[in-house]
Amino acid sequence: MSLKHAILVALSEGPKSGYDVAKQFDESIGFFWRARHSQIYREMGKIKESGLAVAEEVPQSGKPNRIVFTITDAGRETLLQWSREPSEPPEMKDLFLVQFHGIEHIDLDGLRQNLMRRIETHQDRHAEYVVKHQLLEDTNSLADLGQQLALEVGMRWEYQWVDWCTKALERLAPEAIAGMTNVVPFQKEGKKNAE
């Protein structure tokens, strides 16, 4: 997948300014495909130049005019062609796991602290996905179903990371896990939400 396709997905939902697309990345698409705002704006210019979207300047009172992009038929066809291409699972690339591979040569206290931070980060992301998923539960559109399914993968991913980090911390520093009161309740609730 390229950033171009992620932006075309955003534009397929309706005309948007660069700011709107960047905001959508921050609130939804970005859970699964990260990009800096500067990358998004630059790529939107390329999409326009290649005829996959058109741009219209919309006057605003008291502030700069908005440039609103609308996907073209060629852009929709590009999305269709892209959707037919096989998608390979991404290869794992995580320096944190490399630290475990070389565990005898690193600072164990730093690794334990990193595990605790990872648990909190993955718990927070899981909770965010659960909230977004719940907001979509009473809707019946195909678009909402697609977002629900993507969020369910995210929920499972975050749950599995919390589970693994917790078990690793228990093996490396049982006393550290005893002081983390919010880990066990998450696992009980997380299993229900993730499965």
Side-chain angles (χ1 to χ4, degrees):
M1 178 174 179
S2 69
L3 178 56
K4 172 179 79 175
H5 296 110
I7 292 171
L8 288 173
V9 167
L11 292 178
S12 70
E13 298 172 4
K16 291 180 175 65
S17 68
Y19 172 81
D20 297 331
V21 171
K23 186 175 177 188
Q24 187 171 358
F25 266 73
D26 290 343
E27 295 174 355
S28 60
I29 292 174
F31 291 153
F32 308 106
W33 189 262
R34 302 258 180 228
R36 293 187 308 275
H37 289 195
S38 59
Q39 292 174 297
I40 292 168
Y41 289 116
R42 191 167 44 250
E43 190 63 34
M44 288 182 76
K46 292 178 185 176
I47 287 170
K48 179 186 150 215
E49 287 172 15
S50 62
L52 303 178
V54 293
E56 176 186 0
E57 190 169 349
V58 178
Q60 297 190 112
S61 178
K63 45 185 162 177
N65 293 342
R66 280 174 43 114
I67 307 296
V68 176
F69 293 78
T70 303
I71 193 169
T72 62
D73 289 341
R76 290 187 189 284
E77 183 58 32
T78 297
L79 267 184
L80 282 174
Q81 291 299 327
W82 165 71
S83 70
R84 295 176 183 128
E85 295 173 7
S87 62
E88 296 295 325
E91 294 180 10
M92 186 172 285
K93 182 179 178 183
D94 193 325
L95 290 175
F96 183 53
L97 298 180
V98 175
Q99 290 176 350
F100 279 91
H101 188 75
I103 196 167
E104 72 276 13
H105 305 292
I106 65 167
D107 177 17
L108 286 179
D109 287 333
L111 184 62
R112 290 180 194 113
Q113 291 297 318
N114 203 357
L115 273 166
M116 290 189 284
R117 279 192 300 273
R118 284 279 187 126
I119 290 169
E120 290 178 16
T121 298
H122 289 295
Q123 283 179 318
D124 290 346
R125 285 186 194 156
H126 181 273
E128 191 175 354
Y129 292 172
V130 168
V131 168
K132 296 222 176 258
H133 189 273
Q134 288 171 344
L135 293 173
L136 296 168
E137 284 179 355
D138 295 330
T139 59
N140 296 317
S141 74
L142 184 59
D144 289 342
L145 174 61
Q147 290 179 36
Q148 286 175 339
L149 292 169
L151 285 165
E152 287 165 14
V153 170
M155 288 159 56
R156 286 175 184 258
W157 171 267
E158 301 301 340
Y159 171 78
Q160 290 300 325
W161 265 108
V162 170
D163 185 53
W164 180 84
C165 287
T166 302
K167 288 175 181 168
L169 192 58
E170 285 172 345
R171 290 168 71 182
L172 286 169
E175 71 285 353
I177 202 71
M180 296 183 72
T181 56
N182 60 341
V183 174
V184 175
F186 168 81
Q187 291 178 334
K188 291 177 183 170
E189 177 193 8
K191 192 163 181 114
K192 180 184 79 181
N193 285 328
E195 297 176 354

